[in-house]
Amino acid sequence: DAMVIQNPRYQVTQFGKPVTLSCSQTLNHNVMYWYQQKSSQAPKLLFHYYDKDFNNEADTPDNFQSRRPNTSFCFLDIRSPGLGDAAMYLCATTPRLALQETQYFGPGTRLLVL
Amino acid sequence: GDSVTQMEGPVTLSEEAFLTINCTYTATGYPSLFWYVQYPGEGLQLLLKATKADDKGSNKGFEATYRKETTSFHLEKGSVQVSDSAVYFCALKNTDKLIFGTGTRLQVFP
């Protein structure tokens, strides 16, 4: 089945040690999103790519970066994780930027910062 | 700005009970509306959606009708199962971004 895949499902890192989370999709969608979701909260959009165009949310900390080397893959880099960055990170895709289009989510990567 | 308001949870029901989770929104224009479900430890799955007024989205026994006059998109199911226990998010899309409500946890007991 076509899908959004996130690896790993669980990631443990140390305070201040850079970490990369990955997302891939077989849907051939133009748009890919990264969300942060803390416990019992709604997902919070960090940034998105429309094709190669990067769009950062105004309140996304500089500590969070992203790369999209090709249509299928998108990476979330956390340069110096703090304890407050422990969360579920969700990747999502959509075919195009239109009101009626659905966003398709991956299973998420749960990040633990020690 | 645009926003979504959901009823506070948790909602606790016995199996086969009727479910309603209220969702109202504030938005200019004609947004699309969505319900997503999140099972423990998982990502979000689209449950249903509606893209214009009076549309009814339905899936797996769940239904929601886009009511522009009351700016609502309440989720209903006639007979819940234990397997429906999850967090339900109402969301709107008025630009290229999804705006989520805070989520409502549903707990169904046998």
Side-chain angles (χ1 to χ4, degrees), chain B residues 26-105:
Chain B
T26 301
T28 56
Y30 301 92
S32 292
L33 301 174
F34 303 81
W35 276 101
Y36 281 86
V37 58
Q38 187 173 32
Y39 297 100
E42 299 293 324
L44 276 68
Q45 300 175 26
L46 177 70
L47 185 58
L48 51 85
K49 72 177 186 182
T51 58
K52 60 183 188 296
D54 299 325
D55 267 2
K56 177 187 280 188
S58 61
N59 185 27
K60 300 180 182 179
F62 291 89
E63 293 182 341
T65 301
Y66 188 160
R67 302 281 189 204
K68 190 158 178 64
E69 64 275 15
T70 55
T71 62
S72 65
F73 193 53
H74 303 322
L75 182 68
E76 296 182 337
K77 186 177 186 184
S79 177
V80 294
Q81 305 300 312
V82 172
S83 57
D84 293 326
S85 298
V87 179
Y88 293 80
F89 289 95
C90 184
L92 73 82
K93 197 174 181 191
N94 208 13
T95 59
D96 54 356
K97 300 175 187 175
L98 271 176
I99 296 172
F100 288 95
T102 52
T104 301
R105 181 175 298 278

Side-chain angles (χ1 to χ4, degrees), chain A residues 9-36:
Chain A
R9 294 293 307 275
Y10 299 90
Q11 176 74 57
V12 181
T13 191
Q14 292 177 335
F15 182 94
K17 184 175 180 181
V19 65
T20 295
L21 309 182
S22 71
C23 176
S24 63
Q25 53 125 344
T26 59
L27 297 157
N28 205 34
H29 285 174
N30 284 325
V31 191
M32 294 186 78
Y33 302 83
W34 278 105
Y35 290 84
Q36 179 192 63

Side-chain angles (χ1 to χ4, degrees), chain A residues 1-73:
Chain A
D1 285 337
M3 58 198 320
V4 182
I5 302 158
Q6 291 188 245
N7 285 307
R9 294 293 307 275
Y10 299 90
Q11 176 74 57
V12 181
T13 191
Q14 292 177 335
F15 182 94
K17 184 175 180 181
V19 65
T20 295
L21 309 182
S22 71
C23 176
S24 63
Q25 53 125 344
T26 59
L27 297 157
N28 205 34
H29 285 174
N30 284 325
V31 191
M32 294 186 78
Y33 302 83
W34 278 105
Y35 290 84
Q36 179 192 63
Q37 186 182 25
K38 295 191 175 180
S39 182
S40 303
Q41 296 183 19
K44 176 181 180 298
L45 181 63
L46 295 173
F47 25 60
H48 75 273
Y49 274 95
Y50 180 76
D51 198 12
K52 294 184 188 298
D53 293 333
F54 177 71
N55 298 271
N56 199 31
E57 292 300 296
D59 56 354
T60 298
D62 292 341
N63 198 26
F64 291 86
Q65 304 286 321
S66 186
R67 296 170 284 135
R68 190 180 184 186
N70 53 52
T71 301
S72 301
F73 285 87

